Amino acid sequence: MKKINAMLSRRSFMAALTASTLGIRTPFARSADHPSQKKAQIAITFDLEMSRQYPQRKILEWDFQKGNLNQETKDYSLKAAEIAKESGGTIHFFCVGRVLEQKNVSWLKKISKLGHPVGNHTYDHVNVWATQPQQTQFRFQRSPWLLGDKSTEQIIRQNIRMTTEAMKQRLEIVPDGFRTPGGSSDGLNQREDLQKMLLAEGFKWVSSKYPKHEYSRPKEEPTQDIFDSILEAQQAAQPYLYPTGLIEIPMSPISDVGAFRTSYWKLNHFLKSVELCIEQAIEQGGVFDFLCHPSIMYVEDPKFATIKLICDLVNQAGDRVEIVGLSDIAKRVSKNQH
């Protein structure tokens, strides 16, 4: 980690020096000329679901059983929550409703009692952008009788409502926000119907947008162009208000799915990307919404290096940045609109 920090520090210095010499205004140069007065906000988010290809490659069954968490995923989630808490941080969890069908949910109750928010992630991990009922989830393609004669809109709405009710009954909490399973580079911009549905279900904000960026080829070391593309997408991952009044809090690149499952990154590449994005967010007074899945991270980052790195970077930056839940980000967006 010291090697990565040193490399990033040199990169910052050289970028600013080159910009000064050539008259190019890089993010580093802008920070030096006009230091941001706006406090950056960093969110750590965990989607509680099983992931295809994990814990071993070629495993696809989890697409049909997203909420059937294994013990390793639950243990990792709780330990990460404890580590973040000890460092003064917060993790915002998003729970697939079927998780709450499991016999023991004491681990998730402990997470909630530690002060970490838990949001709604639909009951079956459904695709809210689907246009046909059986497109909403692999489970329904294999077992279409579960759909009955419900429309796509009814399936999605029921999935959201059941999760809210399950959280009330099993965890004795109400959902803190809503995240769509999967993300779209356009968020809900073209789906006013979904915006209104979420508002009607009591949600003030959604996390649905994931900006496009370049990926490295599988098993190839990411180039500087890849990191630059991620940083550019990070600037497009800033929260905003839909015309309906619903607030969008995008997921920031690169997720663990893209890094590890798609591109087969090594952990040090992932850590570098996270550090670059946090550094940029602090310099620009922006938001970084770190997205990961404990079902992936317990395999790729068993010693919690990413969580520790984020907390350390925030603590080192002092009052220029804070770790928050997504509702805190939404509150600032709402406040700025008035």
Side-chain angles (χ1 to χ4, degrees):
M1 186 57 62
K2 290 182 179 178
K3 182 178 180 181
I4 293 175
N5 289 337
M7 178 177 64
L8 293 173
S9 297
R10 287 195 298 272
R11 179 176 180 271
S12 302
F13 173 75
M14 292 305 297
L17 179 62
T18 301
S20 175
T21 302
L22 301 179
I24 300 172
R25 298 181 64 78
T26 67
F28 301 106
R30 285 196 297 271
S31 177
D33 293 342
H34 303 287
S36 173
Q37 299 300 311
K38 188 177 180 181
K39 180 177 288 190
Q41 292 182 315
I42 309 299
I44 304 171
T45 64
F46 274 28
D47 286 2
L48 298 175
E49 63 192 60
M50 292 305 291
S51 303
R52 72 167 73 168
Q53 307 285 3
Y54 283 88
Q56 290 92 30
R57 296 285 173 172
K58 298 184 180 180
I59 293 179
L60 303 178
E61 180 59 23
W62 296 128
D63 284 342
F64 302 86
Q65 301 184 53
K66 281 289 190 178
N68 189 16
L69 301 189
N70 61 9
Q71 192 60 46
E72 292 88 344
T73 295
K74 292 182 280 190
D75 291 345
Y76 191 93
S77 299
L78 179 56
K79 183 62 177 179
E82 292 170 346
I83 290 172
K85 180 71 173 181
E86 291 170 1
S87 298
T90 297
I91 298 178
H92 203 131
F93 292 84
F94 289 93
C95 181
V96 171
R98 289 186 73 190
V99 168
L100 302 176
E101 291 183 13
Q102 294 189 315
K103 181 178 180 179
N104 187 347
V105 294
S106 62
W107 62 278
L108 190 48
K109 288 183 178 181
K110 290 178 182 178
I111 286 173
S112 178
K113 289 180 180 179
L114 284 171
H116 300 286
V118 183
N120 186 318
H121 200 41
T122 77
Y123 200 81
D124 292 285
H125 200 265
V126 295
N127 174 15
V128 302
W129 291 277
T131 57
Q132 298 296 325
Q134 289 190 22
Q135 294 175 348
T136 55
Q137 225 289 342
F138 292 101
R139 181 189 186 197
F140 302 140
Q141 294 177 23
R142 190 162 70 183
S143 308
W145 56 85
L146 294 172
L147 297 176
D149 58 355
K150 298 185 186 70
S151 67
T152 305
E153 185 272 339
Q154 289 173 326
I155 294 166
I156 295 169
R157 188 182 294 274
Q158 183 184 49
N159 245 253
I160 295 170
R161 285 184 176 177
M162 283 198 303
T163 304
T164 295
E165 188 58 34
M167 290 178 66
K168 289 179 179 178
Q169 291 192 30
R170 294 265 359 234
L171 302 179
E172 299 182 334
I173 61 174
V174 296
D176 192 334
F178 180 82
R179 169 166 283 166
T180 58
S184 165
S185 60
D186 200 31
L188 301 183
N189 287 325
Q190 308 302 319
R191 295 298 304 269
E192 184 177 322
D193 59 325
L194 293 175
Q195 296 173 35
K196 290 181 176 179
M197 178 191 295
L198 290 172
L199 288 168
E201 295 301 318
F203 297 103
K204 296 181 180 179
W205 57 265
V206 63
S207 180
S208 73
K209 181 176 180 178
Y210 184 84
K212 291 182 180 179
H213 60 83
E214 298 295 326
Y215 291 87
S216 54
R217 292 179 180 178
K219 300 183 181 180
E220 287 189 3
E221 183 172 345
T223 64
Q224 188 57 51
D225 286 342
I226 297 296
F227 290 120
D228 288 344
S229 176
I230 291 170
L231 287 170
E232 184 177 350
Q234 160 65 11
Q235 296 187 65
Q238 299 305 300
Y240 59 91
L241 190 70
Y242 289 113
T244 57
L246 185 70
I247 295 170
E248 173 67 59
I249 306 175
M251 297 163 265
S252 297
I254 185 172
S255 73
D256 56 349
V257 171
F260 298 121
R261 191 172 77 190
T262 302
S263 295
Y264 290 68
W265 276 12
K266 295 180 179 178
L267 179 58
N268 66 305
H269 299 145
F270 190 59
L271 294 174
K272 177 180 177 179
S273 179
V274 169
E275 184 158 5
L276 287 171
C277 287
I278 290 178
E279 181 182 63
Q280 177 173 273
I282 293 173
E283 290 172 347
Q284 299 178 352
V287 169
F288 176 63
D289 176 11
F290 171 70
L291 164 64
C292 71
H293 303 74
S295 53
I296 293 176
M297 295 296 282
Y298 86 79
V299 176
E300 304 287 359
D301 183 13
K303 295 183 179 180
F304 305 91
T306 310
I307 299 300
K308 293 175 182 177
L309 172 65
I310 294 172
C311 292
D312 287 346
L313 289 171
V314 170
N315 289 332
Q316 290 167 13
D319 61 4
R320 298 175 63 202
V321 60
E322 59 183 347
I323 296 182
V324 297
L326 298 194
S327 285
D328 296 306
I329 296 173
K331 288 176 183 176
R332 189 162 83 175
V333 173
S334 180
K335 182 179 179 181
N336 290 340
Q337 298 302 313
H338 298 91

